[in-house]
Amino acid sequence: MSNINIDNQNINLEISLLLEAIFNKYGYDFRNYSKAHIKRRILHRLSLSGLDNISAMTHKAIYDKNFASQILLDFSINVTEMFRDPDFYFFIRKEVIPILKTYPFVKIWHAGCATGEEVYSMAILLKEENLYDRTQIYATDFNAKVIKSAKDGIYSIKNIKDFTRNYQKAGGKESFSDYYTANYNSVIIDNSLKKNIVFSEHNLVTDSVFAEVNMIICRNVLIYFNRDLQNKVMNLFNDSLVPGGILGLGTKESLQFLEKGKNYNCIDLKNKIYRKKYNV
Amino acid sequence: MSKKYKAIVIGTSAGGLEALVKILMPLPKDFSLPIIIVQHISPDSDNYMTQYLNSVCDINIKEADEKEKIKAGNVYIAPPNYHLLIEENFTLSLSNQEKVNFSRPSIDVLFETAAYAYGSTLIGVILTGANNDGSKGMKLIHNFNGLTIAQDPKTAYVDNMPLAAIKATKIDYILPLEKIAELLIKIHSGQKKKK
């Protein structure tokens, strides 16, 4: 076998030891994430760190909390935007809101909310549909730093043009600029949108059910998990959703190959929006 | 050409659709090497390109799905706005992490993960395009002793991408599109005979 193939085997071994160390020391479990994704993130951090190899990263991660927290950030899925995939929100507004309106009180869980852009998008939509005042949104992410910035709701002003275009495509009814205050190079989300949102740390891999909810939004998170972990998280969602509850996934995610998939009807194939059956 | 190749990755950008037609159309229906493709496309595009290619080519062309097992005889195309990665157990993964070389999907992301998965049994093909995405990936494919092919820059709609790859690493074949298709068919039929 050539040297480069042996090197690759050693790299994979070092990666699994690093993930083991992070789990044992800090309790965050990435061992069932997509290996190709994790490898790219680790090799990227290695090249920025100036360290010689991944084993040196492991040593540093054990002894240097800040370095470990940098690795956790590398593993976070933190690319998002307001009204990402506007069609998704258009469908929610047209078809899902009427369902939610039949409940006296609505609970929504946004799992893996990253920096919060899509949480505020949902809040805006609910407000415009006169549902926000009887809604409670739980927005969760495993990463404390990320949850902090979601809670702050401060975003770079250079994204506002895209956000505004998305908002309009998603069927927005008002002027998008009503929802934020611009300040130099950033915008801050209006406080009235924050009042019914609870931001908190929750780890889909290791934590359990915390509430019974009418809708779960979890977009572009499951794609980073291997099939076993996808099934495990889907069990968690299934236990949290009321009968007839709504599940919104990312465009390229699907329940088709998951064990709990049979409990759901797909109500929008393109946007991957599902509804839990009543008799399961 | 004694080596047995197991997969082909192709990366292209500006002018890519026409180039892909010229490479994929001549391939026979029983072409059994899986092909995985990144073409830079706008995040808002639908799957028109995949449908069009599938309608004009004999081989089966589909948009890549996450966790999908890579099967012989299929062509997989990265969906708009997602990186396409190859796992070392030969399944496909998608990611919407930040852009790489201003691109999502990025050719380097596909090529580098493919090199780790397939090692020396990978063929990397870089075609027309306006930036240098893919050149790092081609370098890794070469380092793993995979086969590297670039479209002859003189024949490319935009020559930056093949030129960047040629500058970055050793390219085994620099050919116009028609000859690339011929070479892939020749490699494939050579491997079939040996079975």
Side-chain angles (χ1 to χ4, degrees), chain A residues 4 8 12 34-37 39-41 43 76 79 84 220 223-227 230 251-252, chain B residues 44 63-67 79 82 85-88 93-98 104 109 112 116 143-144:
Chain A
I4 189 150
N8 191 38
N12 290 341
S34 145
K35 287 192 162 51
H37 163 70
K39 186 172 187 166
R40 272 196 73 81
R41 306 304 287 180
L43 290 176
S76 284
V79 175
R84 172 165 63 172
N220 297 307
I223 47 172
Y224 295 98
F225 298 167
N226 72 15
R227 193 65 91 201
Q230 287 183 343
T251 322
K252 291 298 288 180
Chain B
D44 303 327
E63 191 174 274
D65 283 313
E66 64 112 18
K67 301 282 177 295
Y82 285 88
L85 298 80
I86 298 182
E87 297 286 341
E88 291 174 38
S93 277
L94 299 173
S95 129
N96 60 353
Q97 284 292 17
E98 54 275 90
R104 189 175 50 228
V109 172
E112 288 177 12
Y116 286 122
N143 288 348
F144 270 98

Side-chain angles (χ1 to χ4, degrees), chain A residues 42-253:
Chain A
I42 291 175
L43 290 176
H44 181 65
R45 179 53 50 197
L46 175 63
S47 72
L48 295 178
S49 70
L51 295 168
D52 287 338
N53 50 53
I54 299 167
S55 295
M57 283 177 73
T58 306
H59 185 270
K60 193 168 181 189
I62 293 170
Y63 286 93
D64 178 349
K65 214 178 152 203
N66 290 331
F67 187 67
S69 117
Q70 181 60 59
I71 294 176
L72 292 186
L73 258 190
D74 290 337
F75 292 164
S76 284
I77 296 109
N78 42 24
V79 175
T80 179
E81 56 193 74
M82 287 190 89
F83 293 95
R84 172 165 63 172
D85 306 320
D87 265 4
F88 176 89
Y89 290 92
F90 192 82
F91 186 88
I92 296 277
R93 193 189 281 272
K94 282 271 180 286
E95 305 293 335
V96 174
I97 293 290
I99 298 171
L100 297 180
K101 276 189 171 167
T102 64
Y103 297 106
F105 194 79
V106 179
K107 287 182 184 170
I108 298 172
W109 177 17
H110 196 126
C113 71
T115 40
E117 286 88 333
E118 293 191 69
V119 182
Y120 293 119
S121 308
M122 187 63 75
I124 289 170
L125 199 159
L126 292 163
K127 199 173 177 187
E128 292 184 359
E129 298 300 324
N130 297 315
L131 194 54
Y132 186 63
D133 286 337
R134 50 189 175 101
T135 301
Q136 174 73 60
I137 302 178
Y138 304 100
T140 65
D141 198 281
F142 81 81
N143 194 302
K145 276 189 184 167
V146 167
I147 272 292
K148 166 84 170 60
S149 55
K151 203 171 183 172
D152 292 342
I154 298 169
Y155 303 112
S156 165
I157 205 157
K158 69 180 201 297
N159 296 326
I160 284 299
K161 225 167 104 181
D162 288 343
F163 290 179
T164 306
R165 195 182 322 119
N166 283 353
Y167 166 76
Q168 287 159 351
K169 278 193 199 163
K173 291 180 170 172
E174 310 290 334
S175 162
F176 187 63
S177 57
D178 292 349
Y179 298 115
Y180 61 83
T181 311
N183 188 4
Y184 298 102
N185 293 323
S186 56
V187 301
I188 179 158
I189 295 292
D190 194 78
N191 264 330
S192 69
L193 291 171
K194 295 181 178 174
K195 65 175 183 169
N196 293 346
I197 307 173
V198 176
F199 290 96
S200 64
E201 276 177 64
H202 180 278
N203 193 323
L204 289 171
V205 187
T206 46
D207 293 339
S208 52
V209 175
F210 62 89
E212 187 176 64
V213 298
N214 307 93
M215 178 159 82
I216 295 175
I217 304 294
C218 183
R219 308 188 67 222
N220 297 307
V221 176
L222 294 181
I223 47 172
Y224 295 98
F225 298 167
N226 72 15
R227 193 65 91 201
D228 288 346
L229 186 51
Q230 287 183 343
N231 276 316
K232 188 179 163 191
V233 172
M234 197 49 218
N235 287 341
L236 181 60
F237 290 167
N238 193 63
D239 292 344
S240 306
L241 267 180
V242 300
I246 304 292
L247 174 65
L249 301 177
T251 322
K252 291 298 288 180
E253 291 168 328

Side-chain angles (χ1 to χ4, degrees), chain B residues 13 20 24 26 30 69 71-72 74 77 89 122 126-127 137 147 180 183 185:
Chain B
S13 182
L20 286 173
L24 298 177
D30 67 345
K69 186 115 189 102
K71 284 197 191 131
N74 273 343
I77 298 189
N89 65 1
L122 180 69
I126 194 91
L127 305 176
L147 189 75
I180 293 176
L183 176 63
I185 291 168

